[in-house]
């Protein structure tokens, strides 16, 4: 209990103190006109109230990541709390705030344009491709995941059902379509996909602006309810730092660094957030709202991640048998090997602690979060392509010209195993965040501002991403070599140091901008 409460307090203090420092380093200009005013088009550039934008931003970034990622992260032990807290304050908050504010300063530019302005045209082209790949992977993940949860609530025909109507003997002769997982909840997938189409092409204030604040409130209510039950009735069973920071994942055989720092992404730092901030940057009416909306939404997500990490590490405790909560979680995972453990934990926590009505609302909140992140991912992808091609998005036909190929790409990804899609997304996500932090650092350096606030997390995340590529077993997350940990860390450190030397050179030879 003391670790959890202390972590919550640190996040709040981090927002009030460090968030203010970051905003001062950036140099907000409250009287400076924002793109929502200067470029208002009734489609993407639409002025909204700060609270509405905050809830939309929170829901956009709070997909399955801060819930599922936090649950998987607590398998490593209470050290997950430390990464959520310090990652949110010193990395995620800085990343989200700076990408959002830079988008405002650059007329609502999307992430690749922001990064490219600082790191060059080659990196801009790479970021365009990387961002689109990430957003398509994320949309696919956030399409099939919620569909599976909805199928558990209300069963509707699966793909196997429709195939049986055509080929009753199960000997499918449909070629391409036979590759789809027969158990996929195709009815829910189609329903969610239809919603994605509408949310991607309609003006931002029609669906997103009207309904997202409500869903954001439900997600916050869900977290608050779980926190109250946990502190009120299970405080003594909650994980504590005093229990030890040793690695508990698979008996310590899975390396805590860097695997945990990739598993807990959206609850600490996520490159996906950088693609979402420009959406809301086009709706903000004053720069003074930036800290509350961008840094504040990241802190709120960190709190949500803390709640779910603590809940997963608490609910399976059995004091009478001396069973530690995380040990119970490990046993639960072993008993359900091959299943989506995070989804099972969400269902178990919601139904056990919140009852039928509360549990239903909680599960709806968990379902709404990834769905509403999936559609804004597609919207962000549309904006990235539009910025690249310099195509006006005011006429709906131009929006459809760009969106339809994106819809086809997402649909085609349904033929790929979900676990493969999620693994590639996890690493790509952190790579995007790392590159964005370096771009932010260059922006601050060229204007003689305190670039250390982004340089330190950039160096750290570079080490995470590089070592992950080297240490991850082949076929585990990305096609890495599975090198020994010491060798992986050494190679990653050498590359990281080389990047720092290049940056130090540029600090002396780059013209200062005003």
């Amino acid at each position: 209990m003391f670790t959890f409460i202390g972590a919550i307090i640190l996040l709040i203090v981090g927002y009030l103190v460090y968030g203010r420092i970051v905003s001062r380093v950036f140099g907000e200009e409250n009287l400076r006109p924002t793109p929502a005013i200067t470029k208002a088009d009734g489609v993407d550039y639409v002025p909204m109230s700060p609270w509405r934008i905050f809830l939309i931003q929170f829901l956009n970034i709070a997909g399955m990541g801060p819930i599922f990622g936090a649950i998987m992260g607590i398998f490593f032990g209470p050290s997950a709390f430390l990464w959520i807290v310090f990652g949110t304050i010193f990395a995620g908050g800085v990343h989200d705030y700076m990408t959002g504010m830079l988008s405002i300063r650059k007329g609502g530019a999307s992430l690749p344009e922001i990064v490219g302005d600082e790191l060059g045209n080659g990196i801009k082209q790479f970021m365009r491709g990387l961002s689109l790949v990430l957003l398509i992977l994320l949309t696919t993940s956030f399409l099939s995941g919620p569909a599976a949860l909805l199928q558990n609530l209300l069963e509707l025909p699966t793909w196997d059902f429709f195939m049986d109507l055509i080929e009753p003997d199960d000997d499918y002769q449909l070629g391409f379509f036979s590759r789809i997982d027969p158990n996929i909840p195709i009815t829910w997938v189609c329903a969610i996909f239809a919603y994605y189409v509408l949310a991607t092409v309609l003006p931002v204030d029609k669906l997103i602006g009207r309904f997202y604040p409500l869903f954001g409130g439900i997600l916050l209510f869900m977290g608050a309810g779980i926190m109250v039950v946990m502190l009120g009735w299970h405080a003594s069973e909650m994980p504590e730092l005093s229990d030890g920071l040793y690695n508990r994942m698979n008996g310590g055989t899975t390396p805590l660094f860097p695997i945990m720092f990739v598993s807990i992404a959206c609850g600490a730092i996520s490159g996906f957030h950088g693609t979402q901030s420009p959406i809301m940057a086009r709706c903000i009416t004053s720069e003074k709202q930036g800290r509350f909306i961008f840094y504040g939404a990241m802190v709120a997500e960190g709190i949500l991640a803390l709640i779910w990490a603590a809940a997963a590490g608490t609910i399976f405790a059995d004091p009478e048998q001396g069973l530690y909560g995380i040990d119970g979680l490990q046993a639960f995972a072993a008993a359900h090997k091959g299943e989506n453990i995070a989804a099972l934990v969400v269902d178990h926590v919601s139904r056990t602690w919140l009852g039928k009505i509360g549990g239903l609302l909680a599960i709806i909140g968990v379902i709404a979060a990834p769905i509403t992140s999936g559609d804004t991912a597609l919207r962000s992808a549309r904006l990235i392509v539009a910025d690249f091609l310099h195509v006006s998005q005011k006429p709906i036909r131009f929006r459809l010209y760009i969106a339809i190929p994106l819809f086809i790409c997402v649909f085609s990804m349904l033929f790929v195993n979900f676990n493969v899609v999620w693994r590639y997304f996890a690493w790509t996500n952190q790579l995007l965040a790392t590159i964005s932090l370096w771009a932010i650092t260059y922006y601050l350096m060229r204007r003689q501002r305190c670039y250390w606030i982004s340089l330190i997390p950039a160096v750290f995340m570079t080490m995470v991403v590089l070592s992950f590529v080297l240490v991850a077993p082949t076929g585990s997350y990305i096609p890495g070599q599975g090198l020994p940990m010491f060798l992986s860390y050494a190679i990653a450190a050498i590359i990281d140091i080389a990047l720092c030397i290049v940056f130090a050179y540029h600090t002396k030879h780059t013209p200062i901008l005003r």
Side-chain angles (χ1 to χ4, degrees), residues 417 419-420 423-424 468-469 471-482:
N417 182 273
N419 291 328
V420 174
R423 289 165 184 168
Y424 275 88
F468 184 83
V469 174
V471 79
T474 301
S476 175
Y477 289 89
I478 64 170
Q481 298 302 311

Side-chain angles (χ1 to χ4, degrees), residues 470-507:
L470 298 169
V471 79
T474 301
S476 175
Y477 289 89
I478 64 170
Q481 298 302 311
L483 298 177
M485 284 190 292
F486 176 78
L487 182 58
S488 299
Y489 297 156
I491 295 174
I494 292 171
I495 298 175
D496 207 354
I497 292 171
L499 289 174
C500 291
I501 293 173
V502 171
F503 176 77
Y505 173 83
H506 279 284
T507 59

Side-chain angles (χ1 to χ4, degrees), residues 430-443:
Q430 297 302 65
L431 175 62
L432 195 70
T434 303
I435 298 174
S436 299
L437 285 170
W438 279 109
I440 293 166
T441 303
Y442 268 84
Y443 173 87

Side-chain angles (χ1 to χ4, degrees), residues 67-76 249 260 263-264 312 340-342:
I67 301 173
F68 283 25
I71 291 172
M72 299 310 296
I74 198 64
F75 275 87
F76 289 93
M249 175 64 86
M260 187 187 75
S263 300
I264 304 178
N340 189 325
I341 301 302

